[in-house]
Amino acid sequence: QSHFLSPLLQAKMSRPVQARRLEGIDKNIWVEFVKLAATYSKVNLGQGFPDFPAPEFLREALTRALGGENHMLHQYTRAFGHPPLVKVLAQFFGKLLGRDLDPMTNVMVTVGAYQALFCCFQAFVDEGDEVIIIEPFFDCYEPMVKMAGGTPVFVPLRLKAPKDGKLMSSADWKLDPAELASKFSKRTKAIVLNSPNNPLGKVFSRGELELIADLCVKHDVLCISDEVYEWLVYDGKEHIRIASLQGMWDRTVIIGSAGKTFSATGWKVGWTVGPDRLLQHLRTVHQNSVYHCATIGQEAVAQGFQRELMLYGKPESYFVQLPKELQQKRDWLVQSLEAVGMKPIIPEGTYFLVADISEFKSDVPDVPNSDEPYDYRFAKWMVKNKGLAAIPLSAFYSEAHKNNYNNFVRFCFAKEEATLKAANDILQKWKKEKTSS
Ligand code: PMP
């Protein structure tokens, strides 16, 4: 048919197609490293997802929802969250925060925590607004702030390495109070807090949270609190919700994820909890973009939370069992990494462990004419030569600060015992090769 089209109609588009707001945010660490891991890795401790099954009670709830009598579970549900899910989330978080929550106005369900974050930035950030991001940070915060027209302002956690040869802990990475205060100004609209923090596993202490809260109140700033790892806290540490501190409920959106909470990252069920005054604007973004999340996953997650509400604090609770299991896995990986000469930073929470890799500089070949940071080169070298995949830490830093933090890589230990054993085998073999060379 094309010979009927005039030459004008056949002409290829020549105008620039990309919207300006996408400039400079086209690169994505996961696309590159997920592909590398798929091609080369024997053991993949890169991307953060469990390779063990989601709990049986959750899988059963999904099967019941799928094949049960209620065929309406295959249809649309309420746009801002399936009623059984928002109801139980309101009960659960109401209990945790010690306040009455209205399921219809204080909770909104999202497509994973990712969409919750996206809604926050779109709803609150205007052209020219500044958003403070604590480094290292979950990488999507930066492009999301930029897409909303805002300017990210970065403040790094400063490492105070312990003396006397003790292992480092994620608690050794601290905010400098004066430096943090210096980032707040009239232009600051929001701060993003991620505790427990991906990638370090840092669980912010009450003192640190009070420091952030005081600055938020003083400068009338919002807090976007990404708490997806809220249940994954180790060694008896406590996860403190910044929304529970004085003056903070009114200005905080709490973000959570069933992916991390119930070891089902592929379900992409997330939520926001906060005051109606803030959530009403998230609803505007949600209703004009995603509109509605899959009903069936929401139904199953609702049942998961109903179970957890009943068993709250009891030994059978998944939120009690999962961190116990993960702490053991963390300790195995710490031992394995130490054997080969990496210096692990013991995480207080999350799926992740960051390790110092400065010992290996002479093993990793320089790439001529490349300004690729050492940790990127190391992670690529390790997956190609040893079959072990990890993520370079500088991927979690802004361009300006990347080069100060390129001696570390991040490993995910939310893995089957067999996977961690296979990683240990690789590391033991590597150790033997090192000592014999
Ligand atoms: N925030 C943080 C800190 C994360 O680590 C992740 C997932 N890796 C997310 C948000 C996104 O969560 P979800 O998979 O529920 O979209």
Side-chain angles (χ1 to χ4, degrees):
Q1 295 250 321
S2 63
H3 57 276
F4 290 123
L5 295 176
S6 78
L8 239 178
L9 285 176
Q10 287 178 34
K12 284 232 165 81
M13 283 192 77
S14 60
R15 69 193 294 171
V17 291
Q18 179 204 292
R20 274 194 299 282
R21 66 179 164 278
L22 301 192
E23 268 166 27
I25 62 165
D26 48 341
K27 267 210 194 136
N28 178 295
I29 165 90
W30 305 110
V31 175
E32 183 181 10
F33 276 85
V34 165
K35 193 167 157 206
L36 273 170
T39 316
Y40 297 107
S41 77
K42 293 194 193 87
V43 179
N44 183 1
L45 304 185
Q47 212 186 352
F49 59 87
D51 68 349
F52 47 82
E56 203 172 315
F57 66 84
L58 193 80
R59 288 181 284 137
E60 280 174 4
L62 186 67
T63 312
R64 271 198 308 276
L66 195 67
E69 306 231 305
N70 186 358
H71 61 269
M72 290 313 286
L73 291 175
H74 294 272
Q75 304 307 326
Y76 292 136
T77 182
R78 180 175 164 269
F80 306 121
H82 187 48
L85 180 56
V86 288
K87 274 184 201 151
V88 73
L89 285 171
Q91 271 179 294
F92 206 100
F93 280 89
K95 188 176 163 115
L96 295 173
L97 294 162
R99 64 171 61 237
D100 275 341
L101 297 183
D102 175 354
M104 300 299 147
T105 58
N106 295 133
V107 181
M108 185 181 87
V109 176
T110 54
V111 183
Y114 240 97
Q115 193 226 337
L117 288 160
F118 187 77
C119 285
C120 286
F121 295 121
Q122 289 294 319
F124 303 136
V125 177
D126 260 326
E127 207 68 40
D129 284 345
E130 291 185 354
V131 177
I132 298 175
I133 298 176
I134 300 167
E135 290 176 309
F137 59 93
F138 182 49
D139 61 297
C140 74
Y141 302 155
E142 180 179 5
M144 283 196 192
V145 169
K146 288 182 172 162
M147 272 194 285
T151 307
V153 172
F154 299 100
V155 56
L157 290 162
R158 301 281 178 192
L159 171 61
K160 299 217 168 62
K163 294 188 187 99
D164 54 37
K166 270 206 312 209
L167 278 181
M168 283 183 280
S169 146
S170 56
D172 296 324
W173 295 65
K174 296 193 165 93
L175 284 168
D176 175 329
E179 189 178 18
L180 179 66
S182 76
K183 305 291 176 187
F184 282 76
S185 76
K186 274 206 194 87
R187 294 182 299 277
T188 313
K189 184 69 183 279
I191 181 167
V192 187
L193 172 69
N194 174 214
S195 182
N197 162 275
N198 172 12
L200 280 178
K202 177 182 171 66
V203 177
F204 283 66
S205 68
R206 186 174 289 277
E208 288 170 307
L209 296 174
E210 281 170 355
L211 173 74
I212 297 169
D214 287 349
L215 286 164
C216 285
V217 171
K218 182 172 166 201
H219 294 273
D220 202 15
V221 161
L222 293 167
C223 179
I224 300 168
S225 185
D226 180 343
E227 302 183 27
V228 299
Y229 299 102
E230 60 194 322
W231 301 107
L232 308 182
V233 173
Y234 313 127
D235 306 319
K237 285 257 155 64
E238 188 194 359
H239 169 60
I240 299 166
R241 293 175 174 78
I242 196 164
S244 69
L245 302 189
Q246 189 143 45
M248 288 308 285
W249 166 253
D250 202 37
R251 58 180 71 250
T252 302
V253 176
I254 300 174
I255 293 177
S257 164
K260 310 293 151 117
T261 299
F262 290 115
S263 313
T265 58
W267 287 27
K268 293 296 284 188
V269 175
W271 55 84
T272 57
V273 174
D276 185 32
R277 194 176 76 84
L278 301 183
L279 260 62
Q280 73 178 102
H281 305 298
L282 303 188
R283 293 196 290 270
T284 307
V285 179
H286 185 78
Q287 78 199 4
N288 293 308
S289 51
V290 165
Y291 189 71
H292 174 290
C293 310
T295 309
I296 219 135
Q298 295 190 63
E299 170 71 19
V301 171
Q303 293 191 21
F305 265 106
Q306 280 153 12
R307 174 192 189 269
E308 287 304 304
L309 191 60
M310 235 164 50
L311 297 177
Y312 186 71
K314 301 213 170 106
E316 310 91 282
S317 156
Y318 191 64
F319 299 168
V320 172
Q321 282 174 355
L322 180 64
K324 260 200 202 151
E325 284 170 25
L326 285 176
Q327 183 172 321
Q328 173 69 71
K329 292 174 193 289
R330 174 197 71 174
D331 295 343
W332 282 332
L333 185 61
V334 165
Q335 278 180 12
S336 305
L337 293 173
E338 273 197 290
V340 78
M342 295 193 201
K343 295 194 199 82
I345 300 167
I346 313 295
E348 304 154 274
T350 76
Y351 282 171
F352 305 111
L353 188 168
V354 167
D356 185 323
I357 44 148
S358 25
E359 290 286 303
F360 300 86
K361 285 221 164 106
S362 56
D363 298 326
V364 180
D366 267 330
V367 183
N369 305 323
S370 155
D371 53 4
E372 193 165 49
Y374 166 62
D375 58 346
Y376 273 71
R377 284 192 285 119
F378 176 86
K380 288 180 184 175
W381 172 85
M382 184 167 73
V383 73
K384 287 181 188 165
N385 292 278
K386 308 292 175 191
L388 183 60
I391 304 290
L393 185 72
S394 66
F396 302 89
Y397 281 86
S398 61
E399 206 53 45
H401 296 162
K402 263 189 199 321
N403 277 329
N404 303 338
Y405 298 92
N406 62 14
N407 282 327
F408 302 91
V409 290
R410 188 199 79 173
F411 295 92
C412 173
F413 55 82
K415 301 292 172 192
E416 294 273 19
E417 195 175 334
T419 310
L420 295 170
K421 282 213 167 100
N424 184 55
D425 291 346
I426 289 179
L427 291 160
Q428 292 297 339
K429 187 163 163 253
W430 184 351
K431 178 185 165 189
K432 271 199 199 120
E433 288 161 5
K434 265 179 70 171
T435 42
S436 64
S437 67

